[in-house]
Amino acid sequence: MVGKANHRGFGHVRRLPSKRWQASYQGPDLGRHKAPRTFVTKVDAEAWLAAERALISEGKWSPAALRRSGDSGSIRLEQYAAGWLRERRLKPRTREGYEHLLRRYLLPAFGHAPLAQITPSHVRQWWVSLNEDTPTINARAYALLKAILNTAVADEELVANPCRIRSASSAHRARDIRPATIQELETIVEALPQNRRAIALLCSWCAMRIGEVLELRRKDLDLARGVVRVERAVARVSGRPVVGPPKSAAGRRAVTIPPHVVPALQQHLDSYVGRGANDLLFPARDGRSHLQPTVFNDAFRKARHAAGRDDLRVHDLRHTGATLAAMTGATLAELQQRLGHSTVVAALRYQHAAQGRDAAIAEALSQLAARK
């Protein structure tokens, strides 16, 4: 009978934080011997212990460390990463992103390597070989490798994590975002097709994410109270729409609509949205399925060109809305709630952007004095 912790019997099995099982036993040499790998199920761990006990009974046992040869003494990264990914509750889009990073960046470099043979030197050599023009992707790949190996340390597959490059998980923003001015926003909205204008209004003046906007239903818009409720978001996974909760728990929120935007939203409801409570505000051409973001992107590119802002992305509309809200004097807590952020870090960035207006105000005061 295989024993558990604090139970009599041969060997010891325990469940690790990763949900995998570890097996160990005290050998004839009175030393503690662990299985060279962890197991998906408890039964597998017990089977390994049974095999070890049989070797002892038959007089064929030798210390496990001496029986390991080559790479057999450590699970390979590709095997461990597959289990790591399978055991995590991830949003479909996040899972797809991790699978891409593994397939494209991590497995070619480390896939066949036993975990114990991945050294800090190997990690540094891989890091410097990455394309310098893709800092965000590089940081995400490194962060994923570090997370997987952190779990391996917790599972006692590794003594220490070889990912030790300072700040490698943090990518510096490759471009400075310049928010649109109110006049530029007006030009962009006017240049969009009439049935797409409300998308830009919600992304900017309500600082909503495009995935949140494209999943809005008639029931989510309460124009009598001037509120839009954000309960869900849609993302494209393998080319298909997947509806789920917003990006974070704080993403579920009620956003007050600026009064000057309400008439345009009412016109959109009257002209382009079905009468059912669950009818999409921005459906595809068939009237039932979700509008593909690329369809709006195509129209947005033409509209931003009309405003002379070819540098502006759709997500920059949300950035613009957040900066405008900060310029009204909104506190960090108010910005955090309006944007649906779990922490104040991002809200602080927008508030700093608003404080930068002080130089423009000072310049305007000097011009006022010069005219006088």
Side-chain angles (χ1 to χ4, degrees), residues 2-60:
V2 177
K4 296 182 181 179
N6 303 319
H7 286 71
R8 291 184 178 180
F10 180 80
H12 172 108
V13 295
R14 69 182 183 117
R15 202 172 193 190
L16 299 168
S18 65
K19 311 302 182 186
R20 294 176 69 88
W21 291 86
Q22 184 185 70
S24 65
Y25 65 91
Q26 187 179 49
D29 59 352
L30 301 183
R32 173 62 56 178
H33 299 277
K34 291 193 302 185
R37 63 188 184 282
T38 56
F39 304 92
V40 175
T41 67
K42 182 181 177 183
V43 172
D44 292 336
E46 292 173 338
W48 181 84
L49 284 173
E52 294 294 298
R53 187 175 188 182
L55 290 174
I56 294 173
S57 299
E58 296 168 5
K60 298 178 180 178

Side-chain angles (χ1 to χ4, degrees), residues 157 246 259:
E157 296 285 356

Side-chain angles (χ1 to χ4, degrees), residues 136-167:
T136 301
I137 291 292
N138 299 348
R140 289 174 180 170
Y142 181 89
L144 178 58
L145 178 64
K146 186 175 182 180
I148 292 171
L149 297 183
N150 271 339
T151 307
V153 172
D155 285 351
E156 298 183 16
E157 296 285 356
L158 286 174
V159 175
N161 193 328
C163 294
R164 302 173 191 176
I165 303 173
R166 189 183 300 273
S167 302

Side-chain angles (χ1 to χ4, degrees), residues 35-317:
R37 63 188 184 282
T38 56
F39 304 92
V40 175
T41 67
K42 182 181 177 183
V43 172
D44 292 336
E46 292 173 338
W48 181 84
L49 284 173
E52 294 294 298
R53 187 175 188 182
L55 290 174
I56 294 173
S57 299
E58 296 168 5
K60 298 178 180 178
W61 182 89
S62 63
L66 299 179
R67 291 204 309 274
R68 296 174 192 164
S69 60
D71 295 344
S72 61
S74 177
I75 186 172
R76 295 195 304 273
L77 182 119
E78 61 181 351
Q79 297 170 309
Y80 190 81
W84 185 92
L85 196 59
R86 184 170 55 251
E87 292 159 0
R88 268 149 186 78
R89 294 179 179 177
L90 302 171
K91 291 184 178 181
R93 186 72 176 271
T94 302
R95 184 176 298 279
E96 183 183 49
Y98 283 176
E99 289 172 346
H100 171 73
L101 291 174
L102 277 168
R103 185 171 58 251
R104 175 68 176 82
Y105 297 96
L106 301 187
L107 296 186
F110 305 106
H112 295 294
L115 292 179
Q117 293 186 14
I118 300 175
T119 67
S121 175
H122 294 148
V123 174
R124 283 196 302 273
Q125 290 172 20
W126 164 75
W127 174 251
V128 299
S129 72
L130 297 176
N131 186 353
E132 294 182 358
D133 295 332
T134 58
T136 301
I137 291 292
N138 299 348
R140 289 174 180 170
Y142 181 89
L144 178 58
L145 178 64
K146 186 175 182 180
I148 292 171
L149 297 183
N150 271 339
T151 307
V153 172
D155 285 351
E156 298 183 16
E157 296 285 356
L158 286 174
V159 175
N161 193 328
C163 294
R164 302 173 191 176
I165 303 173
R166 189 183 300 273
S167 302
S169 300
S170 304
H172 298 290
R173 184 180 294 166
R175 59 187 286 270
D176 291 326
I177 300 174
R178 181 165 63 93
T181 65
I182 293 177
Q183 184 177 356
E184 288 168 346
L185 271 181
E186 291 176 349
T187 301
I188 288 170
V189 171
E190 287 296 321
L192 286 168
Q194 289 190 355
N195 61 341
R196 306 288 184 241
R197 292 176 179 176
I199 297 177
L201 291 172
L202 289 166
C203 285
S204 56
W205 291 105
C206 294
M208 292 176 63
R209 301 177 179 94
I210 186 64
E212 296 169 344
V213 171
L214 296 182
E215 168 51 20
L216 287 176
R217 315 272 172 161
R218 177 179 278 273
K219 63 182 180 182
D220 299 318
L221 212 56
D222 185 350
L223 296 184
R225 293 176 55 235
V227 171
V228 55
R229 285 182 292 272
V230 182
E231 301 286 346
R232 303 162 310 280
V234 61
R236 290 270 159 180
V237 180
S238 299
R240 303 184 64 179
V242 175
V243 176
K247 188 174 182 180
S248 65
R252 281 196 172 96
R253 63 199 188 280
V255 181
T256 301
I257 304 166
H260 76 279
V261 176
V262 172
L265 296 181
Q266 184 64 62
Q267 182 182 5
H268 180 84
L269 281 178
D270 296 340
S271 303
Y272 305 111
V273 183
R275 301 302 170 187
N278 282 312
D279 285 339
L280 287 164
L281 261 60
F282 308 103
R285 186 172 295 181
D286 62 10
R288 298 183 305 275
S289 56
H290 290 85
L291 182 72
Q292 290 197 34
T294 53
V295 174
F296 179 70
N297 287 341
D298 290 342
F300 179 75
R301 275 193 290 270
K302 298 175 183 177
R304 72 183 184 186
H305 182 73
R309 288 299 308 273
D310 289 333
D311 61 304
L312 211 63
R313 303 171 305 176
V314 171
H315 189 70
D316 296 341
L317 293 177

